[in-house]
Amino acid sequence: MSKRACLILMAALAASPAAAHVSLETKQATVGASYKAVFTVPHGCAGSPTVRIRVQIPEGVIAVKPMPKAGWNVDVVEGKYANEYDYHGNKLSSGVKEVAWSGGKLLDKHYDEFVMRTVLTDRLKPDTTLYFPVVQECEASVSRWIEIPAEGAGHSHEGKSPAPGVKLLPKP
């Protein structure tokens, strides 16, 4: 391969959406267990600093506890679940539906992580991917990492704005 072809290939890979979106650090988790969701934010929005990250909590994910982050405010939106879930002998019918970190400033040239502890209920279907839509708000624009592949299509990074996903594993 020529030097020029290598440079073109490297530039294409560096610009690909798969390398540029908000993603989950841990790509697999067990149904019916706790899950530490670490959302990695590799950059801002087209050069603009990130000032807010909002994560939608999918149905079947309960006991959400976001980790405080120095220099950022953390807020939660609570609401009713579509189902009722057993959590340590208690019936939960409502809880955290969205987590937002704001007030900080993540420069485009920096990388950061936003963390929450969750429980993946045993009502979630093993051998599927669970998606957490994320909206990344920047000073000059917004990136919506919300695309979820059609059921059965599997996790794809081919979309322009793929939602972060975790593959669900059956209980051992």
Side-chain angles (χ1 to χ4, degrees), residues 15-73:
S16 75
H21 65 275
V22 174
S23 61
L24 282 162
E25 182 178 74
T26 304
K27 307 290 187 204
Q28 297 182 341
T30 303
V31 167
S34 66
Y35 173 61
K36 182 180 177 184
V38 179
F39 295 89
T40 61
V41 180
H43 55 72
C45 311
S48 177
T50 300
V51 294
R52 183 176 168 110
I53 295 289
R54 292 185 298 135
V55 179
Q56 183 181 4
I57 309 302
E59 183 68 27
V61 178
I62 63 171
V64 174
K65 290 185 177 186
M67 181 182 286
K69 185 167 199 47
W72 293 76
N73 302 315

Side-chain angles (χ1 to χ4, degrees), residues 93-127:
S93 58
S94 64
V96 176
K97 303 289 279 177
E98 181 178 280
V99 174
W101 289 269
S102 63
K105 192 172 191 175
L106 174 60
L107 298 177
D108 186 52
K109 64 183 178 180
H110 295 151
Y111 157 91
D112 209 343
E113 299 175 338
F114 297 81
V115 182
M116 66 179 81
R117 172 69 63 189
T118 71
V119 171
L120 305 176
T121 65
D122 55 9
R123 288 207 187 160
L124 293 168
K125 187 177 175 186
D127 300 317

